[in-house]
Each structure stands twice: as structure tokens, then as C-alpha cells.
Amino acid sequence: MPELRRVPVNGVELNVALVGSGPAVLLLHGFPHTWELWTDVMAGLSGRYRVIAPDLRGFGASSPAASGYDAGTLAEDAAALLTTLGVSSAAVVGIDAGTAPAFLLALRRPGLVRRLVVVESLLGRLPGAEDFLADGPPWWFGFHSAAPGLAETVLEGHEAAYVDWFLRAGTLGDGVRPALRDAFVRAYTGRQALSRAFSYYRALPESAVQIEQAVATARLTVPTMALGARPVGAALERQLRPVTDDLTGHVIEDCGHIIPLHRPHALLTLLRPFLAGDGAKAT
């Protein structure tokens, strides 16, 4: 079982799961998840790596935060966490809400990030996702970022049903293990927990500007792997291709959005060689 530790960074206190020893691997989760999204991946990597999986700022058991849900601040949180833990170089894996912070961290701090894996998300308004966005962004983006307090008011008292929808949709109807489902429901129950989660969506315009400004002045130089499934597919890889020097792309078939829980073995099959440095480039 991972060790859980409270780590003060960048004005907040993060709840962090740690397991294993060796080169560091930092795992950044998305919505509606906590560090427990990575349970199977952590078990699969801990024999060779020191795996670090925080609850993002304001999510899960990390301390509440009134602000700082933009990708740039979340990237600063990640950098501060690695520094506090004495890590000078880490592979970074981000999915969903964790993707943009992972990307900005690698772009801004290539000396700190030795390899980058980004999973099932989009990077702001970068070109390449036009087909995916042809009918507009997913419906919940607008709902979560609508008039302040609206989504929280509608969902309070119905959090379990709402989280269940995402867990079923993100696994193509299979769902996740009851213990994990219950952990996610607990993490997103209550008006304040919902508000903090939705603050990430409300910060997306600011995050998009940060991403655009970052790629205007720098290229992603660290070896990078983009992984897609359903629904994002290869859209993230297409966004990264013009701004990345060393990019590998894969789409995992018959797999929903929540790859670490839906197809953990397929994910580990791709992660292990890439993290070891001998992954073959996609053509």
C-alpha cells in the first residue's frame, strides 16, 4: 500500500501517495478522480520507480484552496512538490485535468522533467483538435463553468449519481471497483468540494492563454508520449506534433477515457518501455 503524506507546497498542503524506489514518476489525476485513479499503475511501476501521486490542489484530501486552479499554478505546485521531496528529475504523467499542468511543467522546466506522458485531454486552443471539437466541447465544460454556484446548487445531494455517470462513461459502461467508486464519490461530495473541482473548469480560459503564451516562446524538448482512447483519440497528439521535438503517439483501442482504471495493463505495456527510455517512436 502507498504511504500517504501531507506535503506543504506553494501555499497549500497536498495529500500525496508514495510507493516504490528508484527514478521518480509523478502522476497527475483528473476529474472526478483522486490519486487513487493510479492505484493499478502505481502497483505496476513501484518495483522499479519511486511513484508520487498527489491529490491536486483543492481536490480529494488536499487542503482547500480559494484560487490557483489554472494550469500554470498547478504546474508550480507539481514543481514545488518534487523539490520538497528532494526529486531533481522525474517522469511526469498527466491525464485529463492533470495534462495541461504536466505539459507546462515540462515546457518550462525541461531540466526537471526527463520524460512526459499526456493522456486523454486537450491543450487549450492549440491547433489539431478541430475535428474533436466540431460539435463544441463536451457538455459538462459549459455546465461546470456556468454562473458561479449554479452547478454546485444543482448537484448538491446528487453527487454520487453524477460521479457514477463519469465513471461509467469513462469505462465504456464497465464502471470501476466499488472501493474506488466510493472514494471518488466521497472526494466530490458537498458544495465546497464541487466548487473547488469546478474552479478548474472556470480557469480553463486562463490556462488556454498560458499554454498559447508558452508555445509562442518555447518548444517541448523532452521525450513525450501522447495517449488517447475514447473520446479524445489522436487529437492530443495532433496538437502536440507542431510544438514537440520528440513525440510518440498511441491510441488504445476498446478503451474509455479513464485509461488507468479501464485498461491499466495496456497502459503499463506502453508506459514501461517509454519510461525506461527504449520506447519506439510512432510513425
Side-chain angles (χ1 to χ4, degrees), residues 132-215:
F132 178 82
L133 295 172
D135 296 323
W139 61 265
W140 55 90
F141 279 60
F143 177 51
H144 292 172
S145 59
L150 175 61
E152 296 92 312
T153 300
V154 171
L155 292 172
E156 190 173 18
H158 305 281
E159 296 93 339
Y162 197 61
V163 170
D164 279 340
W165 185 90
F166 285 96
L167 298 180
R168 288 193 301 269
T171 56
L172 306 184
D174 291 344
V176 303
R177 298 190 294 275
L180 290 175
R181 176 264 184 193
D182 292 346
F184 297 150
V185 168
R186 286 194 300 271
Y188 291 90
T189 292
R191 182 181 293 261
Q192 295 306 313
L194 291 170
S195 182
R196 292 191 295 271
F198 300 156
S199 291
Y200 161 80
Y201 290 88
R202 291 162 185 161
L204 284 175
E206 180 181 1
S207 299
V209 171
Q210 293 169 346
I211 291 167
E212 290 170 352
Q213 291 174 339
V215 300

Side-chain angles (χ1 to χ4, degrees), residues 73-255:
T73 302
L74 294 173
E76 292 171 8
D77 289 351
L81 172 61
L82 292 175
T83 299
T84 301
L85 294 176
V87 175
S88 60
S89 175
V92 179
V93 183
I95 186 172
D96 192 79
T99 290
F103 171 75
L104 286 179
L105 179 63
L107 197 67
R108 295 171 173 177
R109 302 282 296 274
L112 182 60
V113 179
R114 68 177 183 274
R115 287 186 168 254
L116 173 68
V117 181
V118 283
V119 185
E120 268 296 288
S121 187
L122 297 180
L123 289 170
R125 297 182 289 260
L126 293 187
E130 291 81 6
D131 289 346
F132 178 82
L133 295 172
D135 296 323
W139 61 265
W140 55 90
F141 279 60
F143 177 51
H144 292 172
S145 59
L150 175 61
E152 296 92 312
T153 300
V154 171
L155 292 172
E156 190 173 18
H158 305 281
E159 296 93 339
Y162 197 61
V163 170
D164 279 340
W165 185 90
F166 285 96
L167 298 180
R168 288 193 301 269
T171 56
L172 306 184
D174 291 344
V176 303
R177 298 190 294 275
L180 290 175
R181 176 264 184 193
D182 292 346
F184 297 150
V185 168
R186 286 194 300 271
Y188 291 90
T189 292
R191 182 181 293 261
Q192 295 306 313
L194 291 170
S195 182
R196 292 191 295 271
F198 300 156
S199 291
Y200 161 80
Y201 290 88
R202 291 162 185 161
L204 284 175
E206 180 181 1
S207 299
V209 171
Q210 293 169 346
I211 291 167
E212 290 170 352
Q213 291 174 339
V215 300
T217 57
R219 289 183 59 82
L220 188 60
T221 58
V222 304
T224 299
M225 182 164 66
L227 299 180
R230 290 170 56 185
V232 176
L236 178 57
E237 179 188 352
R238 290 193 295 269
Q239 286 187 306
L240 286 168
R241 186 66 63 187
V243 301
T244 307
D245 289 346
D246 183 353
L247 179 62
T248 300
H250 298 279
V251 175
I252 301 176
E253 301 299 330
D254 189 31
C255 181

Side-chain angles (χ1 to χ4, degrees), residues 6 11-13 57-59 61-67 69 196:
R6 307 289 296 183
V12 296
E13 193 172 73
R57 162 187 296 251
F59 288 68
S62 289
S63 62
S67 61
Y69 294 92
R196 292 191 295 271

